[in-house]
Amino acid sequence: MGRLAPSPTGVLHLGNARTFLLAWLSVRSLGGTLLLRIEDIDGPRVKAGATEQAIEDLRWLGLDWQGEVFVQSSRRMLYRAATQRLVDLGLAYPCICTRKEVDEAASAPHADISGVGSDGPIYPGTCRGRFTSLDDAKQQTGREAALRFRVDASEVPFVDGFRGAQIGAIAGDFVIQKRDGGPAYQLAVVIDDAAQAVSEVMRADDLLPSTPRQLLLYRALGLPEPMFVHVPLLIGKDGLRLAKRHGDTSLRHFRERGVSAGDLVGYLAKLCGLRDSQIACTPQDLLAEFDLRKLSVSAMRGDDHELL
Ligand code: GLU
């Protein structure tokens, strides 16, 4: 069982399309089931209409899924219950520190522990053992508190389905419930992947630093762990993260300029090393020959110019 998990914080771009295509191929080539989950809990960043647009873009690409669409914003009670369980187990505690305070308190600049990308400053444990409850934190400080998960390990080794054995470096306690009471990504994704019986989590390797955190949550909650498969991030030709400077790589932009879904899938297939030449095709056409081992281990480079 696999899943597509778009965040409706903007339009789908080439990088999303690439990851979703690979996730679809990986699961479907083995006869598995794929689900769709809309990760719309990142309040201020969620854009109106982006969910519908993402669904339309996925369909346009030729990707499909089974069953009902899961929407994270309708599952808040479940996240709350899981968070409470972690608090009851003594594994999570209220924290009133702001991002700025964490930055300032962190004794050293955040080392790039994963080799993949920075993942925020290391939390120095300021609020550990400081408050008995969220209310207590509010009363003592006048601030709303977040909840942080206690991390006593520095490594959570795991075997990645693409990258092999990983050290799984992890630094510091991390937020599982935000100050506004909403779930943090790390928690919601674990609760949902477990609830949906997802056995393969395929995503780009910019999320690799999240995996040790998620594994600790699976273990703390006694949930079965999926296989994590991190594929190289799609970056610009200049080696930098895809951004405006690489042109408009949104699927909508390509569609408006007459690029067909077949052209796009064919381009991605070549880019990923699944095919030697760039020929228009459907995801279905790639199923029979799909092999994750054909993917290059280094970051994939692409931009809008090759398609327009
Ligand atoms: N919703 C996340 C994103 O769009 C993906 C989360 C995940 O695959 O774990 O980046």
Side-chain angles (χ1 to χ4, degrees):
M1 180 89 75
R3 42 67 158 190
L4 307 173
S7 297
T9 49
V11 290
L12 292 193
H13 56 72
L14 214 48
N16 304 123
R18 191 291 313 254
T19 305
F20 294 145
L21 174 65
L22 290 177
W24 187 94
L25 287 169
S26 177
V27 168
R28 283 300 179 81
S29 61
L30 296 172
T33 304
L34 203 74
L35 306 165
L36 176 64
R37 183 169 73 233
I38 304 296
E39 303 208 320
D40 61 345
I41 46 163
D42 200 356
R45 293 181 58 227
V46 171
K47 303 244 171 13
T51 295
E52 294 72 18
Q53 179 74 46
I55 289 178
E56 207 208 305
D57 281 344
L58 290 170
R59 290 213 171 105
W60 176 77
L61 269 177
L63 303 181
D64 57 0
W65 50 90
Q66 281 76 44
E68 266 180 51
V69 179
F70 254 54
V71 180
Q72 287 194 322
S73 57
S74 66
R75 299 173 47 77
R76 291 185 190 276
M77 298 301 289
L78 290 157
Y79 309 134
R80 277 291 177 113
T83 310
Q84 188 55 48
R85 205 158 145 231
L86 294 171
V87 171
D88 294 344
L89 288 166
L91 295 173
Y93 63 88
C95 169
I96 53 137
C97 299
T98 60
R99 176 83 182 213
K100 189 159 168 266
E101 286 166 342
V102 177
D103 274 335
E104 282 164 6
S107 49
H110 178 48
D112 189 353
I113 55 163
S114 63
V116 176
S118 172
D119 201 31
I122 298 171
Y123 185 65
T126 320
C127 288
R128 261 199 192 204
R130 211 173 146 192
F131 310 110
T132 54
S133 65
L134 288 173
D135 287 343
D136 178 40
K138 176 85 194 274
Q139 259 165 23
Q140 282 196 46
T141 65
R143 293 196 201 172
E144 298 296 341
L147 287 171
R148 267 183 203 272
F149 183 77
R150 294 174 74 101
V151 178
D152 293 316
S154 59
E155 288 176 2
V156 185
F158 67 98
V159 177
D160 185 278
F162 180 67
R163 300 167 61 114
Q166 299 295 304
I167 293 170
I170 180 166
D173 304 347
F174 60 90
V175 172
I176 53 171
Q177 180 173 298
K178 295 185 271 191
R179 203 176 279 277
D180 64 7
Y185 154 73
Q186 307 291 359
L187 182 98
V189 80
V190 166
I191 299 305
D192 287 345
D193 280 333
Q196 292 184 285
V198 167
S199 52
E200 176 175 295
V201 171
M202 183 181 284
R203 54 193 181 193
D205 60 13
D206 56 335
L207 283 170
L208 196 58
S210 288
T211 302
R213 296 175 183 186
Q214 292 170 13
L215 283 169
L216 288 181
L217 292 178
Y218 276 101
R219 290 171 196 176
L221 292 165
L223 300 169
E225 296 163 22
M227 166 69 95
F228 288 93
V229 186
H230 291 91
V231 292
L233 188 67
L234 180 64
I235 56 175
K237 289 266 181 238
D238 52 5
L240 300 172
R241 211 182 161 98
L242 269 188
K244 289 268 178 321
R245 74 178 89 84
H246 300 106
D248 187 345
T249 65
S250 71
L251 300 197
R252 192 193 303 174
H253 177 75
F254 293 127
R255 287 173 70 173
E256 281 166 6
R257 274 161 187 72
V259 174
S260 71
D263 294 336
L264 198 99
V265 172
Y267 169 69
L268 291 173
K270 167 81 175 21
L271 192 70
C272 292
L274 297 177
R275 283 203 161 163
D276 297 334
S277 49
Q278 186 176 328
I279 305 163
C281 61
T282 64
Q284 204 80 31
D285 294 336
L286 300 168
L287 273 180
E289 63 208 276
F290 179 72
D291 184 352
L292 204 53
R293 284 169 303 188
K294 289 185 188 164
L295 256 60
S296 98
V297 282
S298 51
M300 298 179 198
R301 297 180 184 226
D303 58 26
D304 66 333
H305 309 310
E306 291 159 326
L307 265 165
L308 295 175

